Amino acid sequence: DTAVSQTPKYLVTQMGNDKSIKCEQNLGHDTMYWYKQDSKKFLKIMFSYNNKELIINETVPNRFSPKSPDKAHLNLHINSLELGDSAVYFCASSQEGRGFYNEQFFGPGTRLTVL
Amino acid sequence: TQLLEQSPQFLSIQEGENLTVYCNSSSVFSSLQWYRQEPGEGPVLLVTVVTGGEVKKLKRLTFQFGDARKDSSLHITAAQPGDTGLYLCAGEGYGQNFVFGPGTRLSVLP
């Protein structure tokens, strides 16, 4: 009964490859997010999706593309991986609406290593 | 761009000591949240503060939101080794602009 789950937990790949990370939430939340946490533990928002619409798109390279097949899923696809993409990627979800403050529930993270 | 700063960056204390960590910005936030992250896991929400001057208590943790809603503090009383972790503050600005601070890494030694 995990609230926010991500797969895989670890991903090791070569430079230039294309890879995807999957995220699912069973909380019934309206909004899902992708964050990147670098080696200094700085957590930076990459994307958020609300009702299958992109509402925040930070200045990330267009090699990164979020895909949301339905409200419970937000996958992250990365093309032409680069060394600098190595980081931990977190998926999160939150509920919008009156009385809610975008309190975020995070997944366990995917540690991506690009060789 | 709204930014959050946290201090100290690192803090190592003995079990039983008290501590305060700070989260500051020059911007106003509609709400501010504190999270704790343990190694190998995602951040876990501790509290949300919304009203300027608001104080919330969670057992030995006391959270305060500044009157102007630009800063916040987290005070831990009688710290325990289980309090060890990375403490992150996160603010929601107007227009759903959501930003995290760089974190305070706390180590409580037995």
Side-chain angles (χ1 to χ4, degrees):
Chain A
D1 53 348
T2 305
V4 182
S5 59
Q6 294 179 230
T7 53
K9 176 76 171 173
Y10 300 95
L11 183 55
V12 181
T13 188
Q14 297 286 332
M15 227 169 35
N17 285 351
D18 302 339
K19 290 293 179 185
S20 292
I21 307 172
K22 294 185 177 181
C23 177
E24 177 181 2
Q25 56 97 1
N26 62 6
L27 298 167
H29 285 169
D30 292 327
T31 307
M32 295 183 71
Y33 309 80
W34 276 105
Y35 287 85
K36 179 180 180 181
Q37 189 171 45
D38 60 26
S39 57
K40 295 184 178 180
K41 303 300 182 185
F42 190 64
L43 198 63
K44 186 172 181 181
I45 191 167
M46 300 176 71
F47 303 103
S48 71
Y49 254 73
N50 178 276
N51 291 326
K52 299 180 70 173
E53 292 186 25
L54 181 67
I55 59 173
I56 300 175
N57 184 352
E58 292 295 307
T59 54
V60 298
N62 58 13
R63 297 181 295 103
F64 291 80
S65 54
K67 297 188 190 303
S68 180
D70 55 58
K71 197 173 88 166
H73 296 84
L74 182 65
N75 304 324
L76 182 64
H77 190 75
I78 316 169
N79 290 327
S80 303
L81 279 155
E82 300 178 357
L83 294 176
D85 297 333
S86 294
V88 181
Y89 291 83
F90 287 100
C91 176
S93 70
S94 69
Q95 180 63 42
E96 285 199 357
R98 192 165 188 162
F100 295 98
Y101 301 100
N102 278 326
E103 292 144 330
Q104 311 209 359
F105 291 77
F106 283 82
T110 296
R111 180 174 294 277
L112 171 65
T113 303
V114 182
L115 303 175
Chain B
T1 303
Q2 294 175 301
L3 294 174
L4 280 167
E5 299 177 345
Q6 290 188 243
S7 61
Q9 188 177 359
F10 299 96
L11 185 57
S12 182
I13 61 171
Q14 292 294 131
E15 182 176 2
E17 292 184 6
N18 300 333
L19 67 112
T20 302
V21 298
Y22 300 92
C23 174
N24 297 291
S25 176
S26 58
S27 303
V28 175
F29 291 95
S30 58
S31 67
L32 194 139
Q33 298 160 12
W34 284 92
Y35 293 79
R36 183 170 70 209
Q37 184 179 16
E38 299 188 20
E41 299 180 8
V44 176
L45 179 70
L46 296 174
V47 78
T48 300
V49 285
V50 179
T51 306
E54 182 177 6
V55 176
K56 280 191 173 179
K57 291 194 174 185
L58 185 67
K59 297 183 180 178
R60 293 177 293 100
L61 279 59
T62 302
F63 304 85
Q64 185 164 6
F65 202 12
D67 290 341
R69 304 212 303 273
K70 293 182 179 181
D71 54 85
S72 180
S73 64
L74 159 59
H75 182 81
I76 301 179
T77 303
Q80 298 176 1
D83 296 327
T84 293
L86 178 68
Y87 288 82
L88 297 160
C89 65
E92 182 177 19
Y94 296 98
Q96 296 183 312
N97 179 20
F98 206 82
V99 61
F100 274 81
T104 291
R105 184 169 297 283
L106 172 65
S107 178
V108 182
L109 306 174

